[in-house]
Amino acid sequence: MKTCLVVDDSSVIRKVARRILEEMEFSIEEAEDGKEALDRCTSAMPDAILLDWNMPVMDGLEFLKQLRTSPGGQKPVVVFCTTENDMKHITKAIESGANEYIMKPFDREIIESKFAQTGLI
């Protein structure tokens, strides 16, 4: 079973993402911010990361930059899932190592489509 780390400071978003991803047969871990997510990745690197941009402690972009330079940090497929929808943010995310980008709000169809495009399913 593939694993996905859902990183978002909103418990509602984490709950919705968890439900969708579990239906897609992913094993789910959760983190409320980038620092907690990095700690989780250090102990067990997931196959996929669904990542919010705006979070306290450490935002998604800083998390992504640190992840990609850590041992094994190139492995996970990272899909940003955020309200930041201008080309500047999307470009910065992709240049920093994100594999895909989803706009909030999202549904199962959107997540399945992006995960299929990255080869996760």
Side-chain angles (χ1 to χ4, degrees):
M1 181 177 285
K2 290 190 176 176
T3 58
C4 183
L5 176 61
V6 178
V7 187
D8 201 300
D9 57 328
S10 166
S11 61
V12 173
I13 296 294
R14 290 194 314 271
K15 205 172 284 185
V16 170
R18 173 183 281 277
R19 182 179 49 78
I20 291 169
L21 291 163
E22 284 178 343
E23 288 174 2
M24 294 168 57
E25 300 187 0
F26 278 84
S27 172
I28 308 303
E29 289 288 328
E30 296 181 19
E32 293 183 24
D33 59 61
K35 181 173 179 342
E36 184 182 344
L38 269 180
D39 292 344
R40 291 199 181 276
C41 289
T42 301
S43 61
M45 198 62 75
D47 297 301
I49 300 172
L50 195 61
L51 180 64
D52 186 23
W53 190 297
N54 297 305
M55 297 176 289
V57 185
M58 179 188 291
D59 69 22
L61 191 64
E62 185 57 34
F63 161 79
L64 180 60
K65 289 175 181 176
Q66 289 191 32
L67 173 74
R68 291 305 194 206
T69 60
S70 65
Q74 292 296 319
K75 176 190 156 220
V77 171
V78 177
V79 178
F80 258 107
C81 181
T82 181
T83 57
E84 300 294 347
N85 63 356
D86 58 277
M87 279 309 295
K88 187 175 125 190
H89 278 91
I90 295 170
T91 302
K92 189 181 273 190
I94 300 299
E95 287 174 351
S96 297
N99 300 89
E100 265 302 340
Y101 206 94
I102 293 174
M103 304 308 305
K104 289 179 184 175
F106 58 87
D107 59 19
R108 179 176 175 154
E109 193 175 310
I110 292 167
I111 290 180
E112 280 183 332
S113 169
K114 294 296 183 176
F115 276 33
Q117 287 174 20
T118 61
L120 280 167
I121 57 172

